Amino acid sequence: MNESNHPLPSSFRDPAGFIFQYENEVYRQVNEPGRKDYDLLLQSGLYDLLTKKNWLIRHEEMPAGISSNNAYKILKPAQIPFISYPYEWAFSMLKEAALLTLRIAKASLGHGMMLKDATPFNTQWYKGAMIFIDTLSFEEYKDGSPWIAYRQFCECFLSPLLLMHYGKMSLHKMQLAYADGIPLQLTSRFLPWRSRLSIHTYLHIHLHAKMARRNKATDQKETLVPKNKLINLLGSLEMLVNSLSLEDSGTVWGDYYSEAANRNDYLSQKKTIIATWVEKIPELKTAVDFGSNEGEFSIPLAARNIYTIAADADPVAVNKLHKTISKTNIQNIIPLVIDFTYPSPAIGLANKERDPFLSRISNTDLGLCLALIHHLCLGKNIPFASIAAILADCCKHLIIEFVPATDEKSKQLLLNKRDIYQWYTQPEFENTFGQHFDSIEKQLIPGTERVLYLMRRSHH
């Protein structure tokens, strides 16, 4: 085996095969134990159906030259531009992934197969929608066998979706804490009593949790499940997921731009300046919009064929952006719930299964940091030096907006706070960022005291 094609740290659980990287591209090896099910996936017509619907990632079979021992096939899937994780997704993205998983499970039954996994980690954001990426998750269906991934689906998808639906709030940190799914007993305890009035919630969470406890105690044998009951189970789960929602209002940032649009022509002036500068950046293919809100500045970047990560701490704003993308079929944006002050860490086995957010965006061509610096400095007490160092690690170019302490939004942040921000000045900002970036252009946004900077990461 070529030394560079050992399994990725996230790909060690399935004896049927693994993912590896070779010359900066991702491949999947199908091992001999996965041969029968992989062949059935192709011969049954299921692969053709799922790829035609854009539900499953397409692949091409490669020569065996880069394979290791025990290899049956080497597959090269369509390459995903950016890997994201369920604890970074908006509510409606997780819901989309749940519905996709159920539809694939139902389609599989019609072709003599079944999903053996039902984790959101098997789905990714690709060309403006969720797509299933685990080609080896399919196994032959045997009459009477239950869906072995049922509990996993309930804990990984239903638990967080139901808790958010009834709690009317986002639970990204809880999803991070329970990356392999929120236990049924915990979900059952946290859900309000009225959730039992929903027959589907009662069956899939409350009764399921009770049965799981009982089965642990008695170690019962599996009972036979007729195929029509499996189809009914999947239909019941689909009805429940479809009924869940999270309100798209109620946070300051969820409604930020509707308020900002009223301030003179601040937004249009800013867009004009940024559009001019973006034209000047050579070979601009990737961007991260830190504090993207509803994508006001991410969408124009995507329209220029720049792959854009729209990252915001506000789940309501990110949810709105996801819905905009779904309606308009914009393909070059991935909306993510990311708190700049608490970005997703490395987690999993040896902390290597899931990469931290900041390492996944390292060396991005452009970072946008608009109307954010005053929130980080005045709202969170983060010094310029820390912000500059983080951004320099991520971005080759930077467009950043300095919002002075005299700005109305800054004054709001300083209400009821001790004045410990003498360092928060434009000269100090320029000096500190100048240690990491060379300033290319600088422009006052007309009608405001706010200043935009175009910077390039320096080599010193």
Side-chain angles (χ1 to χ4, degrees):
M1 177 169 77
N2 185 298
E3 276 183 28
S4 65
N5 93 340
H6 54 275
L8 291 178
S10 60
S11 187
F12 61 87
R13 289 186 163 92
D14 189 356
F18 60 85
I19 293 281
F20 66 93
Q21 242 175 338
Y22 179 72
E23 296 182 345
N24 290 326
E25 295 202 287
V26 171
Y27 294 83
R28 183 183 295 277
Q29 175 166 311
V30 184
N31 292 335
E32 281 296 336
R35 175 199 284 252
K36 188 180 163 198
D37 287 328
Y38 172 73
D39 285 348
L40 182 59
L41 173 68
L42 269 63
Q43 289 156 13
S44 67
L46 181 58
Y47 172 83
D48 288 338
L49 172 77
L50 297 179
T51 51
K52 196 175 175 184
K53 286 179 175 283
N54 291 322
W55 289 358
L56 174 67
I57 199 89
R58 290 179 181 276
H59 70 254
E60 53 181 316
E61 293 187 1
M62 305 300 287
I66 54 172
S67 63
S68 68
N69 300 334
N70 200 26
Y72 169 54
K73 296 271 187 188
I74 298 294
L75 315 179
K76 184 182 180 184
Q79 302 292 294
I80 306 281
F82 185 81
I83 297 296
S84 62
Y85 301 126
Y87 44 82
E88 298 168 338
W89 299 345
F91 175 91
S92 54
M93 291 171 79
L94 185 64
K95 178 176 172 176
E96 186 185 327
L99 291 171
L100 175 71
T101 303
L102 292 171
R103 285 163 192 159
I104 289 173
K106 208 184 278 185
S108 301
L109 275 176
H111 289 74
M113 301 201 81
M114 195 52 185
L115 280 181
K116 62 183 179 184
D117 306 297
T119 162
F121 290 104
N122 283 347
T123 55
Q124 280 295 329
W125 185 255
Y126 179 64
K127 293 187 176 178
M130 285 293 177
I131 196 164
F132 199 83
I133 59 164
D134 191 352
T135 314
L136 300 183
S137 260
F138 302 86
E139 64 181 7
E140 185 180 5
Y141 168 71
K142 292 182 173 60
D143 274 342
S145 57
W147 185 26
I148 59 167
Y150 172 50
R151 180 168 179 168
Q152 187 181 40
F153 181 88
C154 291
E155 294 189 330
C156 292
F157 285 111
L158 266 195
S159 283
L161 287 171
L162 279 164
L163 287 168
M164 287 190 265
H165 171 82
Y166 280 100
K168 301 197 186 310
M169 65 174 73
S170 176
L171 292 171
H172 290 86
K173 289 189 172 67
M174 191 174 187
Q175 286 173 268
L176 182 58
Y178 291 100
D180 289 329
I182 302 169
L184 291 172
Q185 280 85 357
L186 200 62
T187 306
S188 179
R189 219 170 288 157
F190 282 172
L191 284 174
W193 191 90
R194 74 178 189 280
S195 67
R196 294 164 187 268
L197 301 176
S198 155
I199 184 67
H200 302 298
T201 306
Y202 178 74
L203 286 173
H204 300 306
I205 297 294
H206 299 294
L207 185 62
H208 194 170
K210 197 184 286 185
M211 296 300 287
R213 268 199 307 271
R214 194 177 297 163
N215 287 354
K216 257 187 207 168
T218 58
D219 195 27
Q220 291 176 339
K221 287 176 82 175
E222 291 285 5
T223 51
L224 292 176
V225 180
K227 192 177 196 176
N228 67 318
K229 281 204 170 173
L230 264 189
I231 292 166
N232 290 342
L233 174 82
L234 294 169
S236 168
L237 288 167
E238 196 173 350
M239 280 174 70
L240 177 54
V241 173
N242 262 319
S243 73
L244 304 178
S245 62
L246 192 64
E247 285 176 21
D248 272 354
S249 63
T251 63
V252 175
W253 303 113
D255 302 314
Y256 179 77
Y257 277 116
S258 53
E259 182 273 326
N262 297 326
R263 285 185 261 147
N264 302 325
D265 51 353
Y266 161 72
L267 274 186
S268 59
Q269 297 273 11
K270 196 153 86 166
K271 280 182 182 170
T272 304
I273 298 166
I274 290 167
T276 308
W277 286 355
V278 164
E279 285 286 328
K280 298 178 181 179
I281 299 171
E283 294 180 25
L284 178 47
K285 291 178 183 159
T286 57
V288 181
D289 186 356
F290 298 99
S292 59
N293 205 269
E294 292 171 39
E296 196 78 26
F297 295 90
S298 305
I299 291 169
L301 288 177
R304 292 170 181 263
N305 209 25
I306 298 162
Y307 189 84
T308 305
I309 297 154
D312 200 284
D314 189 312
V316 170
V318 178
N319 217 40
K320 283 183 177 177
L321 177 55
H322 171 251
K323 288 179 176 178
T324 302
I325 292 166
S326 300
K327 278 183 209 144
T328 53
N329 198 27
I330 306 166
Q331 300 208 341
N332 287 321
I333 298 183
I334 175 166
L336 296 177
V337 180
I338 300 287
D339 184 340
F340 188 93
T341 65
Y342 190 82
S344 312
I347 64 165
L349 187 67
N351 280 355
K352 288 184 176 165
E353 268 187 86
R354 319 287 174 211
D355 292 332
F357 176 72
L358 292 180
S359 76
R360 279 176 279 143
I361 60 166
S362 65
N363 246 15
T364 302
D365 295 330
L366 171 65
L368 283 190
C369 197
L370 306 172
L372 181 65
I373 194 111
H374 54 312
H375 294 285
L376 300 176
C377 297
L378 305 179
K380 303 275 190 177
N381 290 11
I382 301 171
F384 288 141
S386 299
I387 300 165
I390 292 167
L391 292 172
D393 278 346
C394 300
C395 319
K396 297 176 191 172
H397 291 83
L398 177 65
I399 295 176
I400 188 165
E401 179 178 4
F402 180 75
V403 180
T406 49
D407 187 275
E408 278 308 311
K409 291 289 177 187
S410 297
K411 285 179 184 172
Q412 284 176 25
L413 290 167
L414 291 169
L415 278 175
N416 306 318
K417 291 188 89 169
R418 281 192 305 124
D419 187 11
I420 53 168
Y421 302 100
Q422 287 81 10
W423 53 270
Y424 187 79
T425 65
Q426 194 172 337
E428 186 59 29
F429 165 82
E430 291 178 358
N431 178 47
T432 307
F433 273 76
Q435 293 164 35
H436 298 272
F437 293 92
D438 298 323
S439 187
I440 300 169
E441 291 201 37
K442 149 183 175 181
Q443 196 165 331
L444 186 74
I445 302 172
T448 74
E449 296 178 277
R450 300 180 173 202
V451 184
L452 281 173
Y453 293 81
L454 172 60
M455 301 178 175
R456 180 176 50 234
R457 186 166 62 195
S458 50
H459 299 291
H460 54 261

